Amino acid sequence: APVIVFERVSKTYQKGTPAINNISFQIRKGEFVFIVGSSGSGKSTLIKLILKEIEPTNGKIYVNFKDLTRMRHRQVAKYRRGIGVVFQNFRLLKDRNVYENVAFAQRVIEVPGSTIRRQVPFMLSLMGLLDKQKSLPTELSGGEQQRVALARALVNNPVILLADEPTGNLDPKNSWEIMKLLEDINKRGTTVVVVTHNKEIVDKMQKRVITMNKGILISDEQRGGYSHAY
Ligand code: ADP
Ligand code: ADP
């Protein structure tokens, strides 16, 4: 079943050339997809459209069978909570320890305390962070911070995980560790969408690759590599 559907979607910010131009694709439940393309090709715009942070100028977007363009304003926050997101710069709460950073994602949606006390340690153990529960983000390496961000993104069991340049601030060793975790997460059933510039990772992983260039989807390959088209 498709979990993300773009039907002839365009987005033009002001007057001028569209950031995204007439894009159509489907991502099915359980897929692992890379979105690649040079800077300015429209990748972030794609992510923002999926999160309903911006509206398309034309076309239709469906996520989990919901028509995003027709979604009520008051449903948006709840909708976004169904999507796990991680970013290049981790975006952790700096004054809270690792446990609290993950628990916070559950507290805001009023998950019962007993469930939090069960699920947070479980997620931290999956990410190899049990011994870091009481550390502050500043006491962690970049790779560890990204694993905390992943634990936080996943603790509420989202159908989709969006990762926007998740290895952009990591060295090769930590980058591979994060990619292996994303692969594990995907094997457990979560649909994973990764925006990246990391050619080496994309080429080695042999996953589906959607390539953007100047707002146009120029290729969509099932076991692709980083395109040579730019
Ligand atoms: P990428 O993530 O691949 O670098 P973006 O989606 O950020 O690409 O940008 C695609 C195009 O849209 C670029 O030409 C960029 O300058 C333009 N753009 C992005 N965000 C805005 C904005 N808020 N206002 C105007 N133009 C924007
Ligand atoms: P890496 O080499 O993987 O980037 P670091 O050298 O940054 O990792 O950190 C190695 C270990 O030391 C990590 O487990 C991290 O949690 C710990 N660490 C790093 N900085 C501090 C700090 N200021 N206080 C406590 N522990 C730290």
Side-chain angles (χ1 to χ4, degrees), residues 13-14 17-20 37-46 48 164 195 197 212:
Y13 282 101
Q14 296 114 5
T17 49
I20 289 221
S38 53
S39 185
S41 60
K43 306 182 300 296
S44 303
T45 300
L46 256 172
K48 285 179 187 151
D164 194 353
V195 169
H197 275 111
M212 305 282 301

Side-chain angles (χ1 to χ4, degrees), residues 23-192:
I23 295 234
S24 300
F25 64 87
Q26 295 198 0
I27 295 176
R28 287 172 301 279
K29 188 164 161 44
E31 274 196 287
F32 190 120
V33 184
F34 284 116
I35 296 175
V36 305
S38 53
S39 185
S41 60
K43 306 182 300 296
S44 303
T45 300
L46 256 172
I47 296 281
K48 285 179 187 151
L49 285 166
I50 294 170
L51 291 170
K52 202 170 159 66
E53 286 173 9
I54 55 175
E55 299 299 322
T57 314
N58 277 299
K60 283 283 187 189
I61 303 171
Y62 302 90
V63 179
N64 276 332
F65 302 104
K66 289 189 200 82
D67 181 344
L68 290 202
T69 49
R70 299 186 56 179
M71 187 177 286
R72 301 273 172 93
H73 199 69
R74 59 188 160 84
Q75 296 175 306
V76 173
K78 183 164 184 255
Y79 160 74
R80 286 196 193 126
R81 284 189 222 112
I83 303 175
V85 193
V86 295
F87 302 94
Q88 175 169 1
N89 54 3
F90 320 127
R91 301 197 191 177
L92 301 173
L93 301 169
K94 288 188 169 51
D95 57 345
R96 312 268 179 113
N97 69 27
V98 166
Y99 182 97
E100 284 302 323
N101 263 278
V102 180
F104 185 76
Q106 300 204 285
R107 296 199 206 286
V108 293
I109 58 168
E110 294 173 358
V111 173
S114 58
T115 309
I116 295 176
R117 285 189 290 277
R118 197 162 23 87
Q119 291 183 344
V120 172
F122 173 72
M123 274 320 302
L124 290 176
S125 72
L126 279 187
M127 298 299 138
L129 286 167
L130 267 187
D131 56 336
K132 300 286 176 187
Q133 291 190 66
K134 298 203 167 143
S135 301
L136 290 171
T138 51
E139 297 168 338
L140 302 177
S141 72
E144 288 166 339
Q145 289 184 61
Q146 193 59 297
R147 284 188 273 140
V148 177
L150 269 177
R152 179 182 61 184
L154 294 166
V155 73
N156 292 323
N157 210 11
V159 178
I160 301 165
L161 178 73
L162 297 180
D164 194 353
E165 298 279 3
T167 62
N169 282 327
L170 303 180
D171 60 22
K173 176 173 159 283
N174 280 304
S175 296
W176 276 110
E177 230 170 75
I178 293 298
M179 293 318 299
K180 289 297 163 203
L181 285 170
L182 291 177
E183 210 169 24
D184 290 347
I185 290 156
N186 177 245
K187 284 192 179 125
R188 299 169 67 91
T190 309
T191 306
V192 175

